[in-house]
């Protein structure tokens, strides 16, 4: 809005532009789900299911777009700019790469990371005949497997998946509303994504016992090509403005045992003029006072 | 008797089963890593690969068990967070989440602070602060509170103004309505021009890449075009030595360094100049007069210190003025530094006299 050569003429247009400009605390990332030129039924269903999970922070494009993200990223960037989406999921299918999903994210409307995954098995939302949780529930994310830490590509994939499925950042949650969990396991070069509905059962103590019920889309994925951002670009995108850092409170320190120590700075005090408790018994009587003076300044007697 | 014992054993076994079903503890080799702000748990334990290899319901069961264990741990952590009842005593139990710890890349780069506009600079200089105006104004005619501007404003609709007074010193034949319309158009145009100028200034300040003005945009200023032509002239293979000048372009003034930092005279050049230089050198070496005039040097130093103090104090107020003066200075500054350098070398000799003179002054 600040760098707009054309000032918006209506309040609505101004609000629209203000929503899209870079901010200190950013909006929730939107995802765009795009079908490639030859997307088959399976890929389309995957996109529809992920859209259902990510609603309302997702845009599902209905038409097929004939592009190849790994060769040419301009059309993806154009879409991202138009719909203000920084995450994308592109589905396609051909003989060489069957059931292909490209998951990626943008920085400043340019492609940052892209990872191509192949769908080996897919169980859709409607195939599992269980009760579902409401739309827009913030899911719990769990990543199992040491591959997600050891391998650089898997690490980026983990970061991408967290970014994708995280949902809005909230200050507090209703404990009873923790219904949805997405579990990713990396084993044997495959990534198993499962979604479960969480049932909280009574247990002896305060913490409830968890029972899981299979629900929602489950995918068996295999990693294919990757297009990861260079280290310095990635570092640049991670940079947070200083204003977001929590301000340190000075003169407060904490003990190992949890005691909080504070430090107060005082001005120099004149100890002679301190207001202390008055002990009436210790008050100087007039006789004692004159004795102390020692007749140095006796009362002036009127000379006759 | 045996039957009783069997029953006891069965009851005990059932009790243990029930306990296990209700238990909330999970045994894990490695502790999980939690990011409660994102409702995230990371399990580093390598999963049982053998069991997961075979496809089918067994794998699903194993995955589900693993997921159940991990979710149990995550929920246990979430339940430990400070919780309160939202919306009074009967409301739902709500836990306060900490800030998300997992570093994720931003969507867009953080916003850059924009440089202040001309008015903002002036206001800061003068100490003018923004007055908060009320949105409603009392309209005497309508006897009610009306908006300051917009639909049904306080002064009545300006389009319906049927009277325009002729001001004191104006031409009686002039059309006042036309004048008002023209003036409004001019005001709007001036406002827009100033806004675009502020924008251009901010844009220029933001992108301090020297390549930026080299793009032909059609909106370049005179200085930018001059700079661009100079750069273009020098960007040939022979560094601009054989570039013909444009018809009205002035000849390039000889640069002080000639493109080189150190320059040496040719060995067999001007004999007369060499002779005069050597004789001058001998003369200076023979004379008793000190090469450095202490008074001048000290006065120069004093003046420079005063100027620096004044600049530090009134930096904001006379910024433009100082900039003008500073541009004229580069020639003089080199001389000053030379004088100071010599002074430092000769200080032990001339320190006494210099100090004495300074006190007098």
């Amino acid at each position: 809005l600040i760098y707009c050569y054309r000032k918006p003429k209506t309040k609505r247009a101004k609000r629209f532009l203000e929503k899209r400009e870079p901010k200190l605390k950013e909006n929730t990332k939107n995802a765009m789900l795009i079908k490639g030129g030859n997307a088959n039924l399976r890929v389309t269903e995957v996109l529809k299911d992920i859209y259902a999970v990510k609603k309302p922070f997702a845009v599902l494009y209905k038409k097929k777009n004939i592009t190849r993200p790994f060769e040419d990223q301009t059309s993806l960037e154009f879409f991202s700019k138009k719909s203000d989406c920084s995450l994308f999921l592109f589905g396609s299918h051909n003989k060489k790469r069957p059931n292909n999903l490209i998951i990626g994210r943008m920085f400043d409307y340019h492609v940052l990371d892209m990872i191509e995954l192949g769908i080996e098995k897919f169980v859709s939302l409607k195939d599992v005949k269980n009760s579902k949780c409401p739309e827009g529930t913030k899911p719990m994310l769990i990543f199992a497997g040491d591959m997600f830490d050891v391998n650089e590509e898997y690490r980026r994939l983990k970061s991408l998946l967290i970014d994708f499925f995280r949902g809005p950042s909230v200050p507090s949650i209703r404990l009873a509303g923790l219904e949805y969990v997405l579990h990713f396991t990396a084993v044997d070069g495959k990534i198993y994504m499962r979604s479960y509905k969480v049932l909280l059962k009574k247990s002896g103590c305060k913490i409830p016992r968890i029972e899981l019920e299979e629900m929602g889309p489950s995918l068996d994925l295999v990693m294919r090509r990757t297009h990861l951002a260079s280290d310095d670009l990635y570092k640049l995108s991670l940079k947070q403005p200083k204003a977001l850092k929590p301000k340190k409170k000075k003169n407060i320190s904490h003990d190992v045992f949890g005691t909080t120590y504070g430090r107060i700075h005082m001005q120099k005090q004149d100890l002679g003029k301190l207001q202390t408790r008055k002990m009436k018994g210790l008050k100087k009587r007039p006789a004692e006072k004159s004795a102390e003076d020692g007749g140095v300044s006796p009362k002036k007697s009127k000379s006759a | 008797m045996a039957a009783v014992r069997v029953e006891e054993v069965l009851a005990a076994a059932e009790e243990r089963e029930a306990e296990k079903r209700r238990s909330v503890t999970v045994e894990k080799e490695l502790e999980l890593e939690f990011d409660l702000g994102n409702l995230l748990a990371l399990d580093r334990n390598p999963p049982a690969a053998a069991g997961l290899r075979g496809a089918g319901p067994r794998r699903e069961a194993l995955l589900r068990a693993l997921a159940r264990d991990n979710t149990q741990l995550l929920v246990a952590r979430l339940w430990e967070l400070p919780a309160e009842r939202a919306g009074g005593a009967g409301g739902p139990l709500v836990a306060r989440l900490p800030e998300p710890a997992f570093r994720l890349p931003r969507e867009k780069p953080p916003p850059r602070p924009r440089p202040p506009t001309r008015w903002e600079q002036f206001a800061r200089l003068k100490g003018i602060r923004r007055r908060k105006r009320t949105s409603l104004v009392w309209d005497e005619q309508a006897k009610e509170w009306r908006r300051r501007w917009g639909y049904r404003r306080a002064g009545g609709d300006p389009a319906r103004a049927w009277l325009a007074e002729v001001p004191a010193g104006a031409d009686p034949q002039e059309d006042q309505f036309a004048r008002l319309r023209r003036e409004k158009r001019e005001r709007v145009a001036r406002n827009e021009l100033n806004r675009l100028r502020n924008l251009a200034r901010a844009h220029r300040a933001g992108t301090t890449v020297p390549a930026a003005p080299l793009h032909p945009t059609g909106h370049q200023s005179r200085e930018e075009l001059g700079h661009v032509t100079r750069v273009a002239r020098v960007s040939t293979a022979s560094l601009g030595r054989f570039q013909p000048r444009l018809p009205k372009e002035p000849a390039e003034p000889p640069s002080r360094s000639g493109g080189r930092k150190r320059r040496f005279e040719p060995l067999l050049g001007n004999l007369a100049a060499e002779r005069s230089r050597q004789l001058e050198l001998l003369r200076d070496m023979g004379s008793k007069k000190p090469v450095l005039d202490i008074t001048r040097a000290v006065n120069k130093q004093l003046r420079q210190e005063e100027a620096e103090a004044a600049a530090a104090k009134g930096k904001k107020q006379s910024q433009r003025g100082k900039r003008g003066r500073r541009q004229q200075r580069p020639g003089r500054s080199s001389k000053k530094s030379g004088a100071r350098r010599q002074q430092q070398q000769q200080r032990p000799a001339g320190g006494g006299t210099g100090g004495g003179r300074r006190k007098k002054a």
Side-chain angles (χ1 to χ4, degrees), chain A residues 33-265:
Chain A
L33 309 166
I34 315 174
K35 290 199 284 186
N38 44 9
N40 60 355
L41 182 67
R42 190 181 255 198
V43 155
T44 332
E45 281 192 350
V46 169
L47 290 175
K48 265 205 265 185
D49 276 359
I50 304 257
Y51 174 64
V53 168
K54 262 222 58 119
K55 267 206 265 202
F57 298 105
V59 178
L60 178 68
Y61 285 157
K62 295 214 157 95
K63 291 211 173 141
K64 292 192 177 178
N65 293 292
I66 307 173
T67 39
R68 299 206 178 92
F70 272 84
E71 273 94 52
D72 177 32
Q73 285 123 30
T74 46
S75 91
L76 275 178
E77 292 174 0
F78 173 75
F79 285 143
S80 152
K81 202 159 198 162
K82 275 287 169 180
S83 57
D84 192 32
C85 292
S86 52
L87 302 163
F88 66 88
L89 194 61
F90 184 89
S92 67
H93 172 84
N94 51 25
K95 207 153 155 207
K96 191 169 175 191
R97 291 173 230 277
N99 301 320
N100 211 17
L101 266 185
I102 303 177
I103 184 168
R105 62 184 155 201
M106 310 271 198
F107 177 66
D108 200 15
Y109 304 124
H110 295 292
V111 167
L112 184 67
D113 287 336
M114 271 198 298
I115 297 180
E116 194 175 59
L117 303 159
I119 308 168
E120 306 230 308
K121 196 178 86 144
F122 171 60
V123 178
S124 152
L125 268 169
K126 49 188 194 291
D127 289 343
V128 180
K129 308 257 187 289
N130 280 336
S131 63
K132 317 281 185 216
C133 64
E135 194 180 276
T137 328
K138 192 167 157 84
M140 293 189 274
L141 300 163
I142 305 179
F143 288 82
D146 49 347
M147 283 284 266
F148 278 125
D149 280 311
V150 163
N151 194 336
E152 174 63 35
E153 297 185 339
Y154 275 78
R155 250 183 294 166
R156 285 287 180 95
L157 177 66
K158 178 177 78 177
S159 161
L160 241 180
L161 290 169
I162 296 172
D163 220 352
F164 205 89
F165 289 109
R166 175 160 81 134
S169 218
V170 286
S172 51
I173 37 152
R174 194 171 73 100
L175 288 172
L178 291 168
E179 288 178 318
Y180 195 37
V181 64
L182 284 169
H183 192 266
F184 299 89
T185 324
V187 125
D188 254 354
K190 287 213 217 295
I191 301 153
Y192 301 104
M193 171 181 141
R194 300 280 179 272
S195 352
Y196 301 103
K197 185 170 152 83
V198 173
L199 305 164
L200 306 162
K201 295 273 162 74
K202 260 197 209 299
S203 78
C205 54
K206 202 173 64 164
I207 301 168
R209 169 144 175 110
I210 301 288
E211 291 295 334
L212 295 180
E213 201 184 301
E214 174 93 30
M215 164 213 143
S218 73
L219 287 165
D220 287 3
L221 302 162
V222 116
M223 197 185 286
R224 289 180 187 158
R225 293 184 287 180
T226 58
H227 177 280
L228 304 177
S230 58
D231 272 336
D232 45 322
L233 181 60
Y234 194 64
K235 270 205 199 117
L236 183 69
S237 66
L238 284 174
K239 228 182 183 174
Q240 300 287 349
K242 266 200 214 154
L244 280 181
K245 268 203 291 200
K247 281 204 119 176
K248 269 180 107 168
K249 268 196 132 175
K250 283 174 143 185
N251 295 323
I252 294 179
S253 60
H254 294 274
D255 207 0
V256 183
F257 302 106
T259 329
T260 313
Y261 291 99
R263 183 171 254 203
I264 311 170
H265 295 268

Side-chain angles (χ1 to χ4, degrees), chain A residues 2 5 20 23 26 29 86 108 141 143 149 166 171-173 175 187-188 192 194 209-210 237, chain B residues 21 23 38-39 41 43-44 47 53 59-60 68 72 93 95 97 105-108 114 195 199:
Chain A
I2 299 163
Y5 277 96
R20 294 193 175 200
K23 294 182 208 143
E26 292 191 314
K29 291 194 184 181
S86 52
D108 200 15
L141 300 163
F143 288 82
D149 280 311
R166 175 160 81 134
S172 51
I173 37 152
L175 288 172
V187 125
D188 254 354
Y192 301 104
R194 300 280 179 272
R209 169 144 175 110
I210 301 288
S237 66
Chain B
R21 258 182 270 131
S23 82
N38 280 323
L39 300 181
D43 183 8
R44 289 220 165 85
R53 213 162 285 153
R59 181 158 74 187
E60 296 302 315
R68 195 219 78 81
Q72 181 72 69
L93 195 63
L97 288 176
R106 279 177 70 99
E107 208 178 13
K108 294 161 191 145
R114 60 188 173 98
R195 184 184 78 92
L199 220 55

Side-chain angles (χ1 to χ4, degrees), chain B residues 256-327:
Chain B
R256 273 178 295 133
S257 59
R260 281 173 281 170
K261 290 197 177 128
R262 283 187 79 184
R263 166 172 265 185
F264 298 101
E265 293 288 323
L267 281 174
L268 301 169
N270 194 349
L271 283 173
E274 190 179 339
R275 195 167 147 213
S276 56
R277 232 185 316 123
Q278 303 284 14
L279 284 174
E280 238 184 76
L281 186 67
L282 281 169
R283 187 164 34 91
D284 285 337
M285 277 164 62
S287 76
K288 295 285 176 24
K289 205 170 72 167
V291 180
L292 172 69
D293 189 354
I294 298 288
T295 341
R296 277 192 75 195
V298 164
N299 288 339
K300 245 187 197 163
Q301 175 79 355
L302 283 172
R303 244 184 296 137
Q304 199 209 20
E305 281 172 8
E306 278 171 22
E308 275 176 5
K313 227 202 294 184
K315 196 171 163 188
K316 276 181 191 170
Q317 289 171 7
S318 48
Q319 208 175 26
R320 272 174 90 219
K322 278 272 183 259
R323 226 187 283 142
R325 255 186 273 154
R326 231 179 257 145
Q327 277 176 4

